[in-house]
Amino acid sequence: MLDSLIAVFLVIATGWLLKVRNVVSPAHWLGVERLTYQVLFPAVVIHTLAMADLRGVPVLAMGASLVLAILSVAALLLLARPLLARGGIEGPAFTSIFQGSVRWNTFVALALAAGLQGRNGATLMAIAVAAMIPLLNIMCVVVLARFANGKTMSVGATVRSILYNPFIWSSAVGLAFNQAQWLLPSAFTGYLDVLGRASLGIGLLVVGSALDLNRLARPRLAHWVAVGLKLVVMPVTAWLYAGWFGVTGPALAMTIVAGAVPTATAAYFLARDLGGDAPLMAEITTLQTLLALATLPLAVLVLT
């Protein structure tokens, strides 16, 4: 597990180094990120779900554990919002803490799943993608529209942003293809496989390029709230629900990984577009990514 985790973080560190050395220009990073987000990642989700044998996998139990964990942490944050406001955390800052506490870095999770358990791990993590991504995107867009001080999205725009999200439509397409595997030409599945293989390495490089260590000189309450909820409370909550639903073995390990990975770098762009506190979001993402090197293996070792 440590070998897989270290390999993932070495690729992330390479992305950071490429950025600070200006080997890849900021404009080019934006293009690479769009390519990964719009093309490569949907390919790996579609291929993994389409080719997965879901008959022996606890799809409902694992998915329910993760969904309930997300809803529990989200409810805790919303209930604590008045208390956070007394500490100066409200409006845009609250939305960044919300995203930092519930969203997950899918690229890191998929890379770890493949490294730990091969194709079976990738299949289990794809179930997590299908269960978590639609819910997370809906929740985060709604919270930003409600509490951020930026432009308020109309109902139609909110629905479109959800339906056009690559994480959501690729999960739907992959599950649909899974029901008709025998109809898929081998050339087409091979095409998806090649694109999908490219997504994890490039996606982790993009994660590294988004890190900004200069912003972490003085972590504040807002940072530690998001760190504690995402890296500690979320995996423990997912573990509790998984035990309730009887999830064991590799599925339990992947449930913990899905809960324990740091927040998504895409949260920064959503915060920037919808009026959240984008600088705070970048700081939370960087701090969580660095701390996860210690907290993630600890969560898997203790909870599985």
Side-chain angles (χ1 to χ4, degrees):
M1 181 183 64
L2 284 175
D3 286 344
S4 297
L5 187 63
I6 291 171
V8 166
F9 276 87
L10 284 175
V11 180
I12 292 174
T14 301
W16 174 80
L17 188 62
L18 291 173
K19 182 194 71 171
V20 298
R21 294 294 183 183
N22 205 31
V23 176
V24 180
S25 69
H28 287 153
W29 278 120
L30 289 175
V32 173
E33 180 181 310
R34 183 174 294 276
L35 170 68
T36 306
Y37 185 69
Q38 299 286 353
V39 179
L40 300 182
F41 184 76
V44 72
V45 172
I46 293 172
H47 182 264
T48 302
L49 286 175
M51 305 309 295
D53 183 0
L54 301 178
R55 289 171 296 180
V57 178
V59 176
L60 294 178
M62 183 177 173
S65 300
L66 291 168
V67 166
L68 288 174
I70 291 169
L71 292 175
S72 297
V73 173
L76 178 62
L77 260 177
L78 291 171
L79 290 173
R81 194 174 69 85
L83 185 62
L84 293 173
R86 294 178 189 174
I89 302 171
E90 53 186 344
F94 174 76
T95 65
S96 291
I97 292 176
F98 186 89
Q99 287 204 89
S101 300
V102 300
R103 295 190 69 156
W104 66 318
N105 197 308
T106 318
F107 296 115
V108 174
L110 279 169
L112 282 174
L116 288 170
Q117 297 179 6
R119 180 171 292 276
N120 184 50
T123 298
L124 290 167
M125 198 56 68
I127 293 171
V129 170
M132 296 168 70
I133 293 300
L135 173 64
L136 285 172
N137 280 275
I138 293 170
M139 287 173 52
C140 290
V141 168
V142 170
V143 166
L144 277 157
R146 171 65 179 82
F147 297 110
N149 294 330
K151 57 184 180 182
T152 302
M153 293 181 68
S154 65
V155 175
T158 302
V159 172
R160 283 194 299 273
S161 70
I162 292 168
L163 294 178
Y164 293 162
N165 187 290
F167 295 91
I168 294 177
W169 64 255
S170 62
S171 299
V173 172
L175 289 172
F177 282 171
N178 183 268
Q179 303 304 309
Q181 290 182 5
W182 64 92
L183 296 177
L184 300 178
S186 58
F188 177 67
T189 57
Y191 157 75
L192 292 175
D193 186 37
V194 171
L195 287 178
R197 290 177 187 275
S199 71
L200 297 184
I202 296 176
L204 292 175
L205 290 175
V206 171
V207 171
S209 73
L211 300 183
D212 187 353
L213 302 185
N214 296 326
R215 294 183 175 273
L216 298 178
R218 293 186 299 274
R220 307 186 303 277
L221 174 63
H223 299 84
W224 295 120
V225 170
V227 166
L229 288 174
K230 183 66 192 75
L231 301 185
V232 179
V233 176
M234 181 69 80
V236 170
T237 306
W239 171 73
L240 289 172
Y241 282 121
W244 186 22
F245 287 113
V247 179
T248 59
L252 176 61
M254 293 301 99
T255 300
I256 302 304
V257 169
V261 291
T263 193
T265 53
Y268 170 81
F269 300 97
L270 192 62
R272 187 184 61 188
D273 292 342
L274 298 185
D277 190 334
L280 175 60
M281 192 70 254
E283 294 163 11
I284 289 172
T285 302
T286 300
L287 184 61
Q288 286 189 7
T289 302
L290 295 175
L291 292 178
L293 184 59
T295 62
L296 208 161
L298 187 61
V300 175
L301 287 172
V302 171
L303 299 177
T304 58

